[in-house]
Amino acid sequence: MRPEYVVHTAQEIIKIRRAAHMTALARDRICSLVHSGMTTKDLDNIAGEVIRSMGGEPAFLNYRGYPGNICISVNDEVVHGIGRHDRFILKGDVVSVDVGIAFEGGIGDTARTVYVGNEEDMPEDVARLLEYTQKSLEAGLTAAHPGGYVQDISRAVEEVAQQAHLGIVREYVGHGCGIRLHEPPDVPNFAQHRKGPKLVPGMVLCVEPMLNLGSHKVYTESDGWTVRTRDGEPSAHFEHMILITENGTEVLTRV
């Protein structure tokens, strides 16, 4: 029977902290290298070089058959976009960069969405999408505390998304992480009928709202991986790893 959640040991947490910190640094480095004219395969290759230069290994590569070093999702692609030689990143694009790193027994997993071009040129609706997806993440982090429940995180993310009139992707959710890339429990971005597991010290969770400018509805392309919005509207994805401690919540992927 699958456990409801994982509580990590002190030694595991040391490894997880190191991997998460490395992943956060890699995420920011990779995002800073996104530019118009490159292909998503170029970005994926760069990401692999960045990760390996730091001493880590791409945690996504070959995970359940996934073929890329990282996930690169552009515009209406929500998650799990694969780097392609024929997919060019252009000015005005919205690019979600999801990075996972395995390092000395720990796993880090974090994501950020960037706008390609000058921020002052960003369309108002795209600015709202990025701003409130990030705000929904922060709300979820604030709601996570020892003694609370997974439901508290889900409800906090949902409330911000609804205030901004953004579609909340339902098929893909946050999750436990740490020694393996995906561990229980699931961390939905919308309120459930049940509270979910209680948040106890030693739990490590990935909180990761995936919000759409239009409808919440998505579909998976024929490649079996790339998830897109059904209405063609852009999507954004932000993700942090958190550790529940005796005294509160530690954001492991904030640098």
Side-chain angles (χ1 to χ4, degrees):
M1 184 175 176
R2 185 175 186 256
E4 276 205 318
Y5 59 88
V6 175
V7 175
H8 292 284
T9 67
Q11 285 303 309
E12 287 174 339
I13 289 169
I14 290 171
K15 296 175 181 179
I16 295 165
R17 276 199 181 102
R18 289 173 179 163
H21 181 68
M22 178 183 290
T23 309
L25 294 175
R27 173 203 62 213
D28 290 351
R29 174 64 177 155
I30 294 163
C31 285
S32 74
L33 297 171
V34 176
H35 63 84
S36 176
M38 72 190 317
T39 68
T40 55
K41 183 61 175 175
D42 292 334
L43 184 59
D44 187 74
N45 289 339
I46 289 169
E49 292 171 2
V50 168
I51 291 168
R52 292 185 179 92
S53 72
M54 300 173 79
E57 289 295 327
F60 299 164
L61 184 61
N62 298 320
Y63 180 75
R64 298 179 181 174
Y66 184 75
N69 291 306
I70 64 170
C71 298
I72 306 163
S73 306
V74 183
N75 295 334
D76 64 324
E77 297 169 353
V78 181
V79 286
H80 304 159
I82 301 167
R84 290 167 33 183
H85 291 293
D86 61 347
R87 183 69 154 107
F88 284 86
I89 294 172
L90 304 175
K91 185 177 180 181
D93 281 347
V94 174
V95 181
S96 295
V97 174
D98 191 356
V99 182
I101 294 181
F103 178 68
E104 295 184 348
I107 299 287
D109 186 8
T110 181
R112 179 179 156 201
T113 301
V114 297
Y115 177 76
V116 182
N118 298 322
E119 287 193 6
E120 56 266 28
D121 297 329
M122 194 187 311
E124 287 185 9
D125 56 352
V126 173
R128 173 168 58 89
L129 172 66
L130 268 60
E131 177 184 357
Y132 281 92
T133 305
Q134 193 161 14
K135 282 184 174 180
S136 72
L137 170 59
E138 294 299 330
L141 303 183
T142 299
H145 55 82
Y149 292 85
V150 167
Q151 174 82 310
D152 299 331
I153 301 171
S154 302
R155 182 177 289 109
V157 172
E158 181 181 48
E159 287 176 354
V160 173
Q162 288 180 335
Q163 289 167 9
H165 305 291
L166 298 174
I168 305 169
V169 174
R170 283 165 159 68
E171 290 85 345
Y172 300 90
V173 297
H175 53 92
C177 187
I179 298 304
R180 290 173 296 277
L181 183 58
H182 288 96
E183 299 173 348
D186 287 344
V187 185
N189 295 308
F190 52 96
Q192 307 288 288
H193 294 299
R194 57 190 296 269
K195 290 182 178 179
K198 191 172 185 177
L199 302 179
V200 299
M203 290 176 69
V204 178
L205 305 174
C206 288
V207 181
E208 51 176 321
M210 289 153 273
L211 305 183
N212 303 337
L213 196 52
S215 164
H216 71 275
K217 295 180 180 179
V218 300
Y219 71 98
T220 304
E221 281 195 342
S222 58
D223 64 13
W225 286 104
T226 307
V227 178
R228 306 181 85 120
T229 60
R230 284 198 174 275
D231 57 12
E233 292 290 342
S235 184
H237 178 201
F238 287 85
E239 175 183 14
H240 272 311
M241 282 179 72
I242 59 172
L243 168 67
I244 306 299
T245 73
E246 294 283 356
N247 301 316
T249 301
E250 178 183 346
V251 182
L252 300 175
T253 48
R254 200 191 303 277
V255 293

